Amino acid sequence: MLKIPVVDLKFGVGSSQGKKEDYETLSKEIEEALSGVGFVYLVNHGIPNDKIEQAFAASKTFFELPQELKVKYRKDASKGFHGYVEPGQELLNENSTFEIRETFDIPAIRVDSFPEEVPDFKVTLLELKQACHPLIDLLNRILARSLKLEDGDYFYSNSKWMRDDSVRSMSSLRSLYYPPIRDDSTVLPGTVRCAEHTDYGTLTLLFQDSIGGLQVKTTDDKWIAATPIPGSILVNTGDLLEFWSSGYFPATKHRVLIPEIELKKRIARQSIVYFVHPDDDTIVAPLKNGTFDDKKYQEISAGKHALMKLNATYQY
Ligand SMILES: O=C(O)CCC(=O)C(=O)O
Ligand SMILES: [Fe+2]
């Protein structure tokens, strides 16, 4: 059975000690994982643990506020997809009936509408977002290398949004909260925490707490658990990367079910994900052997590609 590999980035992010061979090895390991099972655990990823913990803690305080306070920050398209999404507002799969999940989304462009009830929320989440950028730069270089692009900075160059928060991109940091399920009778049949789906962007960074429940569908069509490994983060592939790489990096399906174990049902689960997309105006077409294939017929801007996906899942 396929497993999710663990890759050590000790000599990766901002390291001056690593030898060229170490970088080559970890690039190859990441390429193999993302072109295979489509998920990889990274350890020594360079994102400070205290920043992760503080963002989780502030998120918890926010999600535990009464609903009438949280909906003041409701997400809508006019706010550049920034803000709070309440349970049931987003269905990730046409067959799903209800998804018991709440999120707060922070897009690439700066929108100043953060919960004033939780002063730490804005600063901790924005700091975590910033702390992810060196890792995203590294992964972007590894993608260019894997796709044998002549320009090793190809993905770096179409990620201006990381250095300029007025550049539009569908990239977004999302804090998720899966509330405890207190009374089974109120849960409609078929309800899940997060239905089977693929992400829309190129890569997703995923931080999870210790509760577990995330499952990944492997290429041999089996669900495997993405069991939390302390100190690690997960990275997975999305739809845009599958399209852009002509299927070399397939977008991996994943889901979060309601746990069968009674005790686990009654505990909230939290995760924080960073959906990585290029700048909206990046023209994307399938690449083959390092060059564009059939560009004339299939090209689309990255922003349009993401909007197509979003419109199919959100209820505004
Ligand atoms: O909560 C998780 O572990 C996964 C969330 C997820 O897949 C998503 O928001 O796209
Ligand atoms: Fe996802």
Side-chain angles (χ1 to χ4, degrees):
M1 207 209 295
L2 282 164
K3 272 176 56 184
I4 303 173
V6 180
V7 174
D8 190 340
L9 290 192
K10 203 163 40 190
F11 299 120
V13 191
S15 165
S16 52
Q17 302 154 20
K19 294 198 264 335
K20 199 161 176 280
E21 302 86 85
D22 297 317
Y23 175 69
E24 301 278 304
T25 307
L26 73 89
S27 302
K28 199 80 211 144
E29 286 172 351
I30 291 176
E31 176 183 344
E32 271 169 29
L34 295 181
S35 59
V37 68
F39 265 75
V40 64
Y41 290 100
L42 301 179
V43 293
N44 292 314
H45 43 67
I47 303 166
N49 202 38
D50 57 343
K51 291 215 188 305
I52 302 171
E53 277 173 7
Q54 285 158 8
F56 269 98
S59 300
K60 184 168 192 285
T61 310
F62 169 72
F63 287 115
E64 286 176 354
L65 291 174
Q67 197 63 12
E68 61 271 23
L69 294 181
K70 290 187 279 187
V71 293
K72 286 197 298 182
Y73 305 100
R74 212 165 192 271
K75 167 168 157 172
D76 69 54
S78 71
K79 282 194 221 142
F81 301 107
H82 171 106
Y84 173 67
V85 180
E86 56 187 317
Q89 196 184 344
E90 179 197 47
L91 298 179
L92 287 171
N93 180 311
E94 73 229 31
N95 300 320
S96 94
T97 46
F98 197 78
E99 299 183 29
I100 303 192
R101 176 184 67 246
E102 306 173 44
T103 81
F104 194 101
D105 296 351
I106 303 172
I109 56 154
R110 185 61 76 105
V111 179
D112 250 331
S113 167
F114 286 89
E116 55 202 30
E117 294 80 358
V118 186
D120 284 357
F121 187 88
K122 174 178 173 178
V123 54
T124 57
L125 280 135
L126 289 180
E127 277 189 15
L128 176 61
K129 187 169 179 251
Q130 203 58 36
C132 292
H133 291 178
L135 176 61
I136 296 173
D137 280 339
L138 175 73
L139 293 168
N140 274 339
R141 285 210 306 279
I142 292 175
L143 287 184
R145 189 182 173 281
S146 308
L147 293 169
K148 303 187 175 49
L149 305 187
E150 239 170 68
D151 177 5
D153 286 334
Y154 179 70
F155 294 106
Y156 179 89
S157 309
N158 57 46
S159 303
K160 291 187 281 301
W161 64 270
M162 270 203 277
R163 292 165 287 281
D164 177 351
D165 64 15
S166 66
V167 175
R168 292 201 167 259
S169 162
M170 295 305 279
S171 299
S172 165
L173 185 77
R174 156 174 280 201
S175 186
L176 292 110
Y177 181 77
Y178 301 91
I181 315 246
R182 297 190 201 282
D183 178 1
D184 276 3
S185 64
T186 61
V187 177
L188 294 167
T191 301
V192 289
R193 279 185 158 165
C194 178
E196 171 179 341
H197 69 284
T198 51
D199 295 339
Y200 309 147
T202 48
L203 294 174
T204 304
L205 314 187
L206 199 158
F207 305 81
Q208 54 175 336
D209 67 11
S210 59
I211 303 294
L214 174 65
Q215 296 181 332
V216 173
K217 201 175 207 170
T218 61
T219 39
D220 51 5
D221 249 13
K222 300 215 166 60
W223 287 105
I224 57 169
T227 308
I229 300 180
S232 77
I233 66 165
L234 281 160
V235 173
N236 68 277
T237 49
D239 296 329
L240 188 69
L241 186 62
E242 175 174 315
F243 176 70
W244 210 343
S245 69
S246 310
Y248 182 63
F249 290 113
T252 308
K253 292 200 171 104
H254 50 285
R255 67 181 183 189
V256 183
L257 298 184
I258 293 175
E260 280 173 19
I261 303 165
E262 205 53 39
L263 194 67
K264 284 206 167 179
K265 273 188 202 165
R266 290 171 194 279
I267 302 173
R269 175 174 184 269
Q270 277 185 269
S271 62
I272 297 178
V273 296
Y274 202 156
F275 300 115
V276 179
H277 292 244
D279 303 329
D280 273 0
D281 61 6
T282 306
I283 298 299
V284 181
L287 283 157
K288 251 196 195 137
N289 302 322
T291 49
F292 287 109
D293 187 49
D294 293 337
K295 182 172 177 187
K296 208 163 127 212
Y297 302 104
Q298 296 192 50
E299 66 177 34
I300 182 170
S301 76
K304 276 210 182 104
H305 190 274
L307 266 182
M308 246 166 42
K309 298 276 172 178
L310 270 172
N311 288 338
T313 39
Y314 277 96
Q315 351 258 296
Y316 293 111

